[in-house]
Amino acid sequence: MLRICTGKSAQICLNSTFRTARLRSANYQFAGASFVRFNSSNSSDPLVSKSEIQTQLPSFDETTSSAVDAGLAVSDQISQVVGEASSHVGYLSSIGMAKSWWWPPELIQNIMEQIHVYSGLPWWGTIATTTILVRLLMFPLYVKSSDTMARNSKIKPEMDAINAELMAATDMVEGQRVAMKRKKLMADNGIKNRYLAAPILQVPLALGFFSGIRQMANYPVDGFTNQGIAWFSDLSLADPYLGLQIITASVFISFTRLGGETGAQQFSPMMKNVFTVLPLLSIPATMNLASGVVLYFAVNGACSVLQTLTLRNKWFRQKLNIAEVVKHEPTPGAPAKGIIETFKENMEKARQQAERRQAMQDNEKKLQASAKELKSNKNIKIVHRSDFKKSRN
């Protein structure tokens, strides 16, 4: 409604109109739940200045942008907190890993966490360092195993003859005599075959590395996604170029052709071909594994090559008093046997030996039964002194 002011009351009328407009504006702002700050320090007017009155709601895009910015800020704070927690011992335990020191995967996770926290190494360096330390701890066992294999190679012809004699034994007494002969031969040459189990001890450790690192990559543990190196910067993803798989296959082929991890194993040409094909087949088999897992395979294989070269070195073997490997020429005229033929022959020998052992046990039981029956039929019996006194009384 438009009011027209004239005469003396013009000034009073204008003031009344302005006051009404101000009150309506304030009522509208209150009804819209919009609160404004009064600039009481800069203005003597108790009402809101025109520049501070919001006449329009913020747009949806502005509201969304503000919410996204706030969410990113919170996410950055959470990431900072997690990153700080992962640099302390106990982080893996807090997310359900590394709960014990006796189960191989959790043992490896505990060791890796200790190295990662106290050394400050990134995760790729932690995996490599842990692998190298474990191989160094097991190196003395491989030295003993290499020495045992070399001593066995020295007496191989005599041992083969004794084993053939033992396989042909049909009597329990004869078998025990041949077994004692073999034991004496090994003792005279300082052979303790228990050290041949050293490579087998690496199996639970290898499974622990594989399972432990794979669990950390699948989670993924903080830092696994950005603490890689070179072309595999994300340890939780598969190697996009299969570089780690190719390196692993190459080093495994190398150390098997050099004589295995002990440097003293003698493989036939057929077995060398098999150990060449198997690592190549491992490339497609491991192409989908996380880079952290395959990194362990590559570092472990590189350690095997260095260990093989070290144990093959004559100067090193002399310093550690490791026997030299004796290579025997194959029997002239002996036909070359393939893997399948050798396997069938060994299975047949094992079956025949089991049958002879069972026959010897049955024969021994018969002899014991006949001896017991003969003893019961004798007129003179052996009586204990206490039983004799009781019978007299």
Side-chain angles (χ1 to χ4, degrees):
M1 173 176 149
L2 179 63
R3 177 183 295 184
I4 301 174
C5 302
T6 58
K8 282 184 177 180
S9 61
Q11 183 66 33
I12 298 173
C13 181
L14 287 174
N15 292 337
S16 177
T17 302
F18 289 148
R19 282 196 297 270
T20 303
R22 289 171 182 170
L23 290 173
R24 287 179 179 175
S25 176
N27 291 334
Y28 291 154
Q29 293 295 326
F30 181 77
S34 175
F35 297 92
V36 296
R37 179 180 58 86
F38 290 95
N39 192 6
S40 58
S41 61
N42 296 332
S43 175
S44 60
D45 194 345
L47 299 178
V48 184
S49 64
K50 181 178 179 181
S51 61
E52 292 181 341
I53 297 176
Q54 296 182 2
T55 60
Q56 176 176 342
L57 292 173
S59 65
F60 179 76
D61 293 337
E62 292 176 355
T63 305
T64 305
S65 177
S66 300
V68 171
D69 293 340
L72 290 176
V74 173
S75 177
D76 291 340
Q77 292 177 359
I78 294 174
S79 299
Q80 184 177 1
V81 171
V82 173
E84 180 67 21
S86 64
S87 62
H88 293 81
V89 175
Y91 164 68
L92 293 182
S93 178
S94 67
I95 59 176
M97 305 179 191
K99 293 183 177 180
S100 68
W101 286 85
W102 60 270
W103 186 243
E106 296 176 351
L107 171 64
I108 297 301
Q109 289 173 351
N110 272 309
I111 296 175
M112 289 177 60
E113 184 179 46
Q114 299 284 334
I115 294 175
H116 177 69
V117 171
Y118 290 111
S119 68
L121 289 171
W123 278 116
W124 75 267
T126 302
I127 294 173
T129 303
T130 306
T131 305
I132 294 171
L133 287 178
V134 171
R135 293 304 301 255
L136 289 176
L137 290 175
M138 293 190 64
F139 184 71
L141 295 178
Y142 281 100
V143 171
K144 288 289 187 179
S145 180
S146 179
D147 181 65
T148 302
M149 286 187 176
R151 293 177 185 274
N152 274 320
S153 68
K154 181 180 179 181
I155 61 171
K156 186 177 183 302
E158 294 87 347
M159 186 64 69
D160 291 342
I162 293 176
N163 288 333
E165 188 178 353
L166 183 62
M167 291 284 292
T170 56
D171 183 55
M172 183 73 71
V173 178
E174 181 67 17
Q176 291 178 353
R177 185 188 65 81
V178 177
M180 290 298 296
K181 182 179 178 181
R182 182 178 64 177
K183 185 177 181 180
K184 183 178 182 302
L185 177 64
M186 294 173 60
D188 292 342
N189 289 272
I191 297 174
K192 297 179 181 179
N193 282 334
R194 62 174 176 266
Y195 291 114
L196 295 177
I200 301 176
L201 296 177
Q202 191 182 350
V203 174
L205 292 175
L207 293 177
F209 269 103
F210 173 77
S211 180
I213 298 176
R214 185 178 63 172
Q215 185 184 15
M216 296 171 69
N218 290 339
Y219 186 79
V221 168
D222 182 67
F224 255 57
T225 57
N226 57 5
Q227 292 185 15
I229 192 175
W231 67 91
F232 52 97
S233 59
D234 192 341
L235 297 174
S236 64
L237 298 178
D239 185 350
Y241 304 107
L242 299 180
L244 291 173
Q245 284 83 351
I246 295 174
I247 293 174
T248 303
S250 301
V251 294
F252 270 93
I253 293 173
S254 301
F255 85 78
T256 52
R257 287 188 169 273
L258 289 173
E261 292 181 300
T262 61
Q265 295 172 336
Q266 300 181 31
F267 297 114
S268 64
M270 181 64 69
M271 293 301 294
K272 287 184 178 181
N273 293 332
V274 171
F275 288 134
T276 301
V277 175
L278 288 179
L280 295 177
L281 294 178
S282 69
I283 295 177
T286 59
M287 63 184 300
N288 294 323
L289 291 177
S291 298
V293 178
V294 189
L295 174 62
Y296 159 70
F297 291 152
V299 176
N300 187 59
C303 291
S304 298
V305 173
L306 292 176
Q307 178 176 287
T308 302
L309 293 174
T310 302
L311 293 177
R312 285 173 60 90
N313 186 273
K314 292 184 178 181
W315 178 85
F316 188 85
R317 295 181 75 90
Q318 290 177 357
K319 290 296 181 180
L320 294 182
N321 196 24
I322 303 176
E324 291 295 329
V325 179
V326 179
K327 295 183 179 180
H328 300 278
E329 296 295 332
T331 305
K337 298 180 181 179
I339 297 177
I340 298 178
E341 294 179 357
T342 303
F343 178 75
K344 289 181 178 179
E345 183 179 352
N346 291 334
M347 291 295 294
E348 181 63 23
K349 288 181 179 179
R351 185 185 64 81
Q352 293 177 0
Q353 186 177 9
E355 291 178 353
R356 281 193 292 267
R357 186 180 294 111
Q358 185 64 36
M360 286 190 292
Q361 290 178 355
D362 294 341
N363 189 25
E364 186 70 17
K365 289 180 180 180
K366 290 180 180 180
L367 292 176
Q368 291 177 358
S370 61
K372 187 176 181 181
E373 183 179 359
L374 182 62
K375 182 179 179 181
S376 62
N377 293 332
K378 285 184 177 180
N379 295 326
I380 301 176
K381 296 183 179 180
I382 300 175
V383 180
H384 197 268
R385 179 179 296 178
S386 59
D387 295 337
F388 180 73
K389 291 181 179 180
K390 289 179 181 179
S391 62
R392 290 185 61 182
N393 295 332

